[in-house]
Amino acid sequence: MIRAALIILGKDLRLRLRDRSVLLLAVVVPLGLTALFAAILPDDQPRGITAAVVDADGGEVAVGFVDGVLPALAADEIVTLVEVDDEAEARREVAAGDIDVAWLIPAGFSDEVGAGRATEIAVLVTAGRVLPGEIARGVAEAYATQVGHVGLAVVTAAEVAGSAPGPADVAAAAEQAAATPDVVRIVQQATASGDRLDSTSYLAAGMAAFFVFFVTQFGVTGLLEERQQGTMPRLLAAPIRPGAIHLGKIGGAFVLGLTSMTVLAVASSALLGADWGPAPGVAVLVVALVLAALGVLALVASFARTAEQAGNLQSVIAIVLGLLGGVFFPVPGDAELLRIASLLSPHGWFLRGLADLRATGDWSVVWPAAGAIVAFGIVAAVPAVLRQRRASTW
Amino acid sequence: MAKLLIGTAPVLSCEGLQKSYGDQPAVVEVGFDIAPGETFGLLGPNGAGKTTTISMIAGLLRPDAGSITVAGERMSPTAAAAKGAVGLVPQDLAIYPDLSARENLTFFGRLYGLAKQPLRTRTDEVLEVIGLTDRAGDRAGEFSGGMKRRLNIGIGLLHRPRLLILDEPTVGVDPQSRNAILESVEQLSGEGLAVLYTTHYMEEAERLCRRIAIVDQGRLIAEGTRRELVATLGEQDLVRLEVFGDAVAAAEACAGVEGVRSADVEESTVVCLMHGAGSRLASLLGAVAEQGATVTGVEVREPDLEDVFLHLTGKALRH
């Protein structure tokens, strides 16, 4: 059965490679659209930076940051400050992508700085919001440096108090203060469930996910084409199991889908600077999405009577699922209904999985998204299989 | 049912085949044998059940009842050994237009399990047989209708089947290609291949088929050699009267003339099967004239397969 399926798969791939349209849909068009959209929408530029600060300390050093530094940034329209009640809310907002960044100042921060002991400011960053994250981190680091200089001056002054300091005294005191570790460390935390990649990566992944539903169509509708061009009876008359024909077609679609997405991931990274995240996680998501596409297309093929009909149905479904999943433009953080709707699309889960992957760098975080994508495919494939079993073979 | 076996055991043996689609019977109690080297004709109008019968014999459909044995193997959709003994040439072209002739042959040869080198050799042989050696590397989609038909047949022959099923292989083919196909079938039959041949063209059946079965409404209503089938009409003459006027009324009048066994209408022609046409022709013409119709032409001859078919089914074969 496997041998016969491979023979059919090989024939189909040969035919598809001769059909230039598959190359257009699999590589050229998605890559071209990604480049075009990326040029129109440069990374992160259209949106300002929305930020929040949680001051759990309330001391003088913290107030210096909250009431001194941040209002100046807001006045210069570098950031838009959003009020949050506590750290938990800040984390929720960042995780949901409703705000880009949040600074967390821990309780006792001012006392620790005053005593010269190490403390930290945490910077929460929505996954994929690279530029806002860098700006927020830079702001915090600049303030930490200022705090460090003030601390150094205080320590130096204390060392020389009560006597007229000579140059050697000042130098020794400064050297001692400088040798101590930074008082304020900046710890950046990207959220694991954020939903944004940088524009180019988002568009490349979105286009790949969108077009894979068209590319795999070539394999699945192949069954209908075999019937239309009269070759199905000849295949069924051959001394092979009928299941080998289906296996060959599905295998061909799988190979085409996988190849398309792999080429796009590599090409968009090499040519457009996209970053999909760690390869193992990307591979899991890509395999899951191709399987989901096969499930959906199998369902379409079971309803359609001709390859053309299947192609039309497939196009409608691919566009609807793509739009729901936000493949062209990210779903706005404040559009709750759209965010829920995106979960009804494998495209949405795919992009969410990639965002988690990019945010954490841990490929194992993609399993929930991959599971949801595969479940989508299974839900579509089961009725397709049942319908196929009832259908006549000729 | 009479059975004629040319060689030893039959290559194909069908018994009591039945198949229904819902409540609609498509094939009812059909049975026949084909011997090695024999070309067996299956004649019938559209919807007679020929394609369903062929589908069951080729293993595409499972019969509701009855049995099919090919080369000693019981046929079913999962019977690889039996399927390997059958070469199917469907009525509709079953080739890949974007593959070359050689690639088409190679693909199906591999599906039938031919190993690489034997397949290459056999492909060359078949290309020679179907006259496409010079065009082996060209896309099948660029071929003429006749060349496509020949490739369609070549694929069915590639794996050296014991039984070749040809379903209307000359439909839409130019006379030259048609003749080439018929010559090929004669040659293959001469080499010992059993052939099941369906056609609308009576002259093809008469030229190729040693035995012929006539099917109508899913039933096999007659089977035998051409001579045996014509003999079922008895020592009768066929009279064709070209009529100007009400042909139906003229036929009804003819049916009442002594010696007339049947009178049917084909467009404006009344076709009478009768005894002693020479002595009763005047009565026949008189009966037509009484209906106010005018006879514009008369033909008297011995009946052929077409007449047998018309007599048995009440309709012309090419309906």
Side-chain angles (χ1 to χ4, degrees), chain A residues 18 226 229 234 236 394, chain B residues 55 60 83 88 96 103 152:
Chain A
R18 287 182 186 174
E226 297 278 8
Q229 63 191 7
R234 190 156 251 162
L236 289 170
W394 190 2
Chain B
S55 300
L60 305 182
K83 281 176 153 185
L88 175 66
Y96 295 102
E103 287 170 337
N152 199 34

Side-chain angles (χ1 to χ4, degrees), chain A residues 29 133 138 214 352:
Chain A
V29 175
F214 291 91
R352 178 174 287 244

Side-chain angles (χ1 to χ4, degrees), chain A residues 221-356:
Chain A
T221 56
L223 275 174
L224 296 166
E225 288 171 2
E226 297 278 8
R227 288 201 177 97
Q228 268 181 280
Q229 63 191 7
T231 41
M232 183 57 95
R234 190 156 251 162
L235 293 179
L236 289 170
I240 59 174
R241 287 174 179 271
I245 302 170
H246 293 89
L247 191 61
K249 296 293 176 189
I250 291 168
F254 184 76
V255 169
L256 279 175
L258 212 56
T259 304
S260 165
M261 293 208 70
T262 304
V263 168
L264 283 172
V266 172
S268 65
S269 301
L271 302 177
L272 304 174
D275 180 6
W276 292 37
V282 174
V284 169
L285 287 170
V286 164
V287 169
L289 189 67
V290 174
L291 291 175
L294 292 181
V296 173
L297 293 172
L299 185 61
V300 168
S302 74
F303 277 100
R305 290 182 180 174
T306 65
E308 288 74 20
Q309 207 175 41
N312 293 338
L313 271 173
Q314 153 63 16
S315 299
V316 171
I317 290 175
I319 290 168
V320 169
L321 289 178
L323 287 174
L324 274 180
V327 297
F328 295 106
F329 300 101
V331 177
D334 55 354
E336 196 58 30
L337 199 61
L338 286 178
R339 292 180 61 76
I340 293 170
S342 74
L343 300 181
L344 299 174
S345 158
H347 303 69
W349 281 104
F350 177 73
L351 292 169
R352 178 174 287 244
L354 281 184
D356 289 349

Side-chain angles (χ1 to χ4, degrees), chain B residues 40-41 43 205-206 209-214 222-224 226 229 305:
Chain B
F40 185 89
L43 300 187
E206 291 191 340
C209 303
R210 184 179 178 88
R211 284 186 307 135
I212 295 161
I214 295 174
E223 184 206 324
R226 177 193 177 281
L229 290 173
L305 274 179

Side-chain angles (χ1 to χ4, degrees), chain B residues 55-73:
Chain B
S55 300
M56 289 188 285
I57 292 171
L60 305 182
L61 287 176
R62 196 181 293 277
D64 295 337
S67 68
I68 301 163
T69 306
V70 180
E73 302 283 345

Side-chain angles (χ1 to χ4, degrees), chain A residues 32-101:
Chain A
L33 285 177
T34 301
L36 182 66
F37 286 150
I40 295 170
L41 305 171
D43 187 27
D44 292 334
Q45 289 305 309
R47 301 177 71 231
I49 302 170
T50 53
V53 60
V54 179
D55 180 7
D57 178 48
E60 286 185 6
V61 181
V63 168
F65 182 70
V66 175
D67 292 342
V69 176
L70 297 185
L73 292 174
D76 291 342
E77 298 182 345
I78 296 172
V79 298
T80 302
L81 289 172
V82 174
E83 284 195 17
V84 294
D85 292 335
D86 51 23
E87 180 180 337
E89 185 183 357
R91 286 189 181 277
R92 276 198 305 274
E93 297 264 304
V94 171
D98 293 340
I99 58 175
D100 298 315
V101 295

Side-chain angles (χ1 to χ4, degrees), chain B residues 154-176:
Chain B
I155 293 169
L157 290 173
L158 188 73
H159 60 289
R160 299 182 193 279
R162 299 278 308 279
L163 170 68
L164 182 65
I165 300 175
L166 294 162
D167 190 8
E168 308 266 6
T170 58
V171 170
V173 171
D174 62 272
Q176 192 178 355

